[in-house]
Amino acid sequence: MKKRYTRVFSILIALLIVNACATFDAQYSDTYKTQSAQIDSELEYSIFLIGDAGNANLGETTPAIDNLEKKLAEASEKSSVLFLGDNIYPVGMPSKKKKKKRKLAEHRIKIQTDILKNYKGNKIFIPGNHDWYNNGLEGLKRQQEFIEKELDSKRVFSPENGCPLDKIKLTDDLVLITIDSQWFLEDWDKHPTMNDDCPYIKSKRKFFEEFKGMLNKNGQKNIVIAIHHPVFTNGTHGGNYSAKSHLFPINKYIPLPGLASFLNLVRKTSGLSPQDLQNKHYSEFADKIVTLTQPYKKVFFVSGHDHNLQYLVKKNKPQIISGAGSKKSATKLGKDEGFTYGHQGYAKLNFYKDGSSKVAFYSTEKSKESKVFETIVYQKDAKKKTKSYPKEKRKTIKTAIYSKEATDKSKLYKFFWGDHYRKYYSEEIEVPLVLLDTLYGGLTPVKKGGGNQSNSIRLEDKNGKQYVMRALKKSATRFLQSVAFQTEYVTEKFNDTQTEDLLLDFYTSAHPYTPFVVDNLSKPIGVYHTNPKLFYIPKQNRLGMYNDEF
């Protein structure tokens, strides 16, 4: 009887494990089972996406690469093909001294570059973690040089020379930002000279500053972020394992069911592997990247790493995973919104003239291509309602930075926080009122600026000379986002709160008009300085979409 119960219990446990396992079958959330992907607009640009394509046997290709070649033969010059890292398995590009390994590595990369020889569009390879596994940056540069020679171009490997970040303009409304995510996850102590050839980024902090700047400069465009490690994933690197992995932890010949499940549990909960999203450094990196993109409407994450096809929407951002160029691995969609599929294939991302976009995933299982999923990523642009503002006739205006209510503090409050310069923030002064269409011969807004506190816009005159318009009232929520909440988007959550009021009051510890006396202090002693002018800028037609923010 005891044996019988033990057997039943073991069967139940096995069934539970299998039920919780990732699978290779296509999985769709309810939202995407019935939705239409029809777009009634002219195609403007296409990006073909394939990753982890470097694992073909010697003398062979892969079904995904073979089918992609046929698609590229039909593609126009208004397109790009993007190889999403792990271009050479298992350890990147060896030196020529290791002849046998080098021969296999060259074959694995050549079957990818060969399909591009007659392709009319842009060809772009980004690095993955396996591309770093041959002497780090040395092996990565060997791969870069080999690809550049094969394709006779210096603009086919991005980011290049071991730098972690690059930007490529594809159209006036579409920009590609490439990130070497392994650069961030790599153990820098093992590669002390890895940043020597990168002129502008020497630290992780500088990386995020540059990335933020790229987003800001292109915030009104479609921004495709190509990053080998996905910011979201429901595959193996996200802690979802196949039934087989619960049986064979070491190889496919020795089943160890209990041990295998235990090892999977340890991997999922410990974050020991820097290649898994559960890892502290990987998750912090992904969270910061996602947080920085939150203010921008049309951002696309495209990745490889997991050897499957996935479309996930989390934190208002779409993640496209196309890492099934030469391998396959199981997925588990669960309750998440989107689609997952565990076989070889590739994806195609289309952009249309009405501002809409669509992604399609193609399976190449058994060498036969079939579309397994298609969805609209972003709908067409809404028609912009232009609001007309009356033209100001006043030459000056009496105004203040803060309201009287904002600076009216009790004696107890001042006892704890001090007097500061509150009275100057709420004291009305008379300043010139100007219109941008006449100021300095006419100025046009170029882009929004600002650091961790300030609100600003860059302006340009008819000769290309640029000016910065910066508000005297700083942003409390921007400070909180940049300093205290780098891995979570909270800007809107703190609007009109006591926390915001407290920070705005903290800013009164600095005199608001200090910048305007710098000229008188610096000029006599020969110190270079700026020459700011104080104006009141009312809402006006020339400000356009920025009227809502200033």
Side-chain angles (χ1 to χ4, degrees), residues 67-350:
N67 281 275
L68 178 60
E69 181 178 19
K70 297 171 185 176
K71 273 287 196 299
L72 296 181
E74 303 169 357
S76 73
E77 60 184 11
K78 294 181 179 180
S79 66
S80 292
V81 59
L82 189 53
F83 288 82
L84 296 165
D86 283 358
N87 308 309
I88 306 174
Y89 278 100
V91 289
M93 179 63 81
S95 67
K96 291 182 178 180
K97 294 179 181 179
K98 299 177 180 178
K99 294 182 180 179
K100 188 175 181 180
K101 291 183 177 179
R102 175 77 179 205
K103 182 179 179 181
L104 178 60
E106 288 190 4
H107 167 72
R108 286 179 167 173
I109 193 64
K110 272 182 63 64
I111 63 169
Q112 298 170 67
T113 58
D114 283 350
I115 70 171
L116 306 176
K117 296 294 178 67
N118 297 316
Y119 171 56
K120 301 173 185 176
N122 293 318
K123 309 116 180 175
I124 304 161
F125 288 78
I126 72 169
N129 53 296
H130 282 270
D131 302 312
W132 275 79
Y133 289 170
N134 210 301
N135 298 321
L137 198 58
E138 291 181 23
L140 192 65
K141 287 185 175 181
R142 283 196 292 266
Q143 181 182 142
Q144 176 185 328
E145 291 168 0
F146 187 87
I147 293 173
E148 288 175 346
K149 183 178 179 181
E150 284 293 305
L151 297 176
D152 192 25
S153 173
K154 293 290 185 181
R155 291 296 297 166
V156 291
F157 197 90
S158 180
E160 59 183 359
N161 299 325
C163 289
L165 188 65
D166 195 13
K167 177 179 68 68
I168 301 171
K169 177 183 175 182
L170 300 180
T171 73
D172 290 339
D173 298 312
L174 174 61
V175 64
L176 173 67
I177 295 177
T178 57
I179 296 175
D180 183 351
S181 45
Q182 186 59 27
W183 173 90
F184 192 93
L185 300 175
E186 196 69 25
D187 185 347
W188 289 25
D189 291 336
K190 294 180 179 180
H191 308 282
T193 62
M194 62 184 281
N195 294 314
D196 287 0
D197 293 335
C198 189
Y200 56 96
I201 298 180
K202 304 289 186 181
S203 68
K204 294 176 180 179
R205 180 180 177 181
K206 184 63 176 177
F207 165 84
F208 286 114
E209 289 177 358
E210 291 290 331
F211 179 63
K212 183 178 179 180
M214 287 183 181
L215 292 172
N216 198 33
K217 290 177 183 178
N218 299 280
Q220 302 302 317
K221 302 176 183 179
N222 288 297
I223 303 174
V224 176
I225 300 174
I227 173 172
H228 176 71
H229 294 80
V231 293
F232 315 118
T233 177
N234 284 22
T236 302
H237 291 296
N240 296 295
Y241 311 109
S242 67
K244 183 178 179 180
S245 72
H246 284 280
L247 296 174
F248 301 94
I250 302 173
N251 58 49
K252 62 182 180 180
Y253 302 110
I254 305 174
L256 298 169
L259 177 62
S261 296
F262 174 74
L263 292 175
N264 283 341
L265 180 64
V266 171
R267 177 179 176 181
K268 183 174 182 176
T269 56
S270 67
L272 286 174
S273 171
Q275 302 307 321
D276 289 343
L277 194 50
Q278 303 87 265
N279 178 266
K280 178 184 177 181
H281 300 295
Y282 183 173
S283 62
E284 285 183 355
F285 173 66
D287 287 342
K288 282 187 180 181
I289 291 288
V290 174
T291 299
L292 288 171
T293 63
Q294 288 301 311
Y296 307 100
K297 294 181 179 179
K298 292 187 176 181
V299 174
F300 309 73
F301 289 105
V302 297
S303 308
H305 201 44
D306 261 320
H307 307 142
N308 40 55
L309 304 175
Q310 299 184 52
Y311 178 77
L312 305 170
V313 180
K314 298 183 181 182
K315 297 184 179 180
N316 301 315
K317 293 292 178 278
Q319 169 71 74
I320 298 167
I321 296 177
S322 181
S326 64
K327 292 187 171 189
K328 66 177 185 178
S329 65
T331 66
K332 184 183 178 183
L333 182 59
K335 296 181 180 180
D336 289 331
E337 289 293 312
F339 151 84
T340 63
Y341 181 67
H343 290 283
Q344 278 196 38
Y346 64 93
K348 182 183 180 184
L349 181 58
N350 286 340

Side-chain angles (χ1 to χ4, degrees), residues 370-404:
S370 62
K371 186 188 295 183
V372 288
F373 181 70
E374 185 177 43
T375 187
I376 294 173
V377 183
Y378 291 109
Q379 297 287 348
K380 66 180 180 180
D381 294 333
K383 290 184 179 180
K384 296 179 181 179
K385 296 180 180 180
T386 55
K387 185 176 180 180
S388 182
Y389 295 89
K391 195 166 187 177
E392 280 279 2
K393 295 182 180 180
R394 292 173 291 177
K395 299 298 182 183
T396 63
I397 188 173
K398 292 196 75 174
T399 188
I401 303 168
Y402 286 2
S403 66
K404 289 287 185 183

Side-chain angles (χ1 to χ4, degrees), residues 490-508:
V490 298
T491 297
E492 297 174 359
K493 295 179 181 179
F494 283 99
N495 287 333
D496 302 319
T497 63
Q498 290 184 345
T499 303
E500 182 184 34
D501 293 340
L502 182 63
L503 275 173
L504 288 174
D505 183 66
F506 171 75
Y507 290 146
T508 64

